[in-house]
Amino acid sequence: METPLDNAIHSLKVDVLHMMHLAQDAVKKAVASLLEHNAAKAREVIDADREINEYECRVDSESLKILALHHPVAKDLRFIVGSMRMLVNIERLGDEAVNIAERVLVLTTEPRQPMHDDLRRLADLAMELMRACINCYMDLDAEAAVAIIEQNAAALDLNVRIFREVTSEMIRESRPVERAVQQSFVAHSLKRICDQCANIAESTIFIRKAIDYKHKCGLPSQDG
């Protein structure tokens, strides 16, 4: 038989997942606006960000009410605290989607130009990690969470490669400098999206295994 605390935790999980899907939709639309050179779609991302911000405030408030009313302990407390940690990361996913959309508005003032292949790869990786972090939270799958954290290293490699490519392009000729700068900012935002997914994965590990993966607290020692 479910207790009032069980019902409250279930509602919290549903709310966090809904917020994740809002952020996922924002990132997906921001990436689409970039690839399609679509300013109207970029503006939709910017306009929709208010809903994510408002949702964060509401879910955070509900989480505090659960703590105050039910005094959860052990795994229930970890679930609530871990979910509250994620709210900041999810809200930042929305912010990075807005950052990308704002760059698209600049890029669309000029004729459409080819996109760097590595930028497309980074966008694909960001979307892949978003899908994965939603699933690992939904299932509280610690192993899948570790895989997300490990994949995040590939995002850093792509980001560095893109920066080097566009820097070389700017050195060769001045005409594409504006496009190169904007694509560099987009790459940084995509990398930050991957970082936030890794943070969400770390919170999932905290919920599932009571391990602070960010600082490796509670992990077996590698010495000896």
Side-chain angles (χ1 to χ4, degrees), residues 35-46:
L35 298 180
E36 297 168 13
H37 205 63
N38 189 325
K41 193 167 286 188
R43 291 190 189 95
E44 290 176 11
V45 174
I46 296 168

Side-chain angles (χ1 to χ4, degrees), residues 15-204:
D15 285 341
V16 172
L17 284 169
H18 181 67
M19 188 175 169
M20 284 183 174
H21 283 292
L22 289 176
Q24 182 185 41
D25 289 344
V27 172
K28 188 182 298 183
K29 186 171 286 186
V31 169
S33 73
L34 173 70
L35 298 180
E36 297 168 13
H37 205 63
N38 189 325
K41 193 167 286 188
R43 291 190 189 95
E44 290 176 11
V45 174
I46 296 168
D47 292 341
D49 188 53
R50 180 180 298 176
E51 183 179 5
I52 296 175
N53 294 339
E54 291 174 350
Y55 215 86
E56 180 196 13
C57 294
R58 186 174 71 78
V59 178
D60 188 63
S61 177
E62 290 300 318
S63 302
L64 292 173
K65 286 181 183 178
I66 297 172
L67 292 173
L69 292 174
H70 300 286
H71 306 291
V73 296
K75 65 181 181 64
D76 291 333
L77 179 60
R78 287 204 313 272
F79 181 85
I80 297 165
V81 172
S83 296
M84 291 178 73
R85 285 182 180 178
M86 291 181 188
L87 295 179
V88 175
N89 301 128
I90 300 168
E91 190 274 333
R92 287 175 181 168
L93 287 169
D95 288 345
E96 295 301 344
V98 169
N99 289 341
I100 293 170
E102 289 173 343
R103 300 301 167 186
V104 171
L105 293 181
V106 175
L107 289 168
T108 52
T109 61
E110 298 290 340
R112 188 172 184 173
Q113 298 292 333
M115 195 68 58
H116 282 280
D117 289 339
D118 282 334
L119 194 60
R120 290 176 181 271
R121 293 188 188 98
L122 185 53
D124 288 342
L125 178 59
M127 294 306 305
E128 179 185 342
L129 293 187
M130 284 212 65
R131 287 190 295 270
C133 75
I134 290 172
N135 289 333
C136 83
Y137 174 71
M138 184 165 56
D139 300 331
L140 295 183
D141 187 337
E143 285 70 28
V146 171
I148 291 169
I149 296 166
E150 292 173 348
Q151 280 183 281
N152 188 39
L156 176 59
D157 290 342
L158 282 170
N159 191 32
V160 171
R161 192 185 308 166
I162 291 165
F163 180 77
R164 287 174 177 166
E165 288 174 359
V166 298
T167 301
S168 297
E169 187 174 294
M170 286 187 284
I171 291 171
R172 285 196 302 271
E173 54 179 308
S174 61
R175 189 174 179 183
V177 165
E178 176 65 21
R179 176 170 59 92
V181 168
Q182 299 305 326
Q183 290 192 14
S184 293
F185 280 120
V186 169
H188 178 72
S189 288
L190 289 168
K191 171 61 178 67
R192 291 296 297 148
I193 287 169
C194 295
D195 288 340
Q196 301 307 328
C197 290
N199 291 341
I200 291 169
E202 288 169 357
S203 292
T204 300

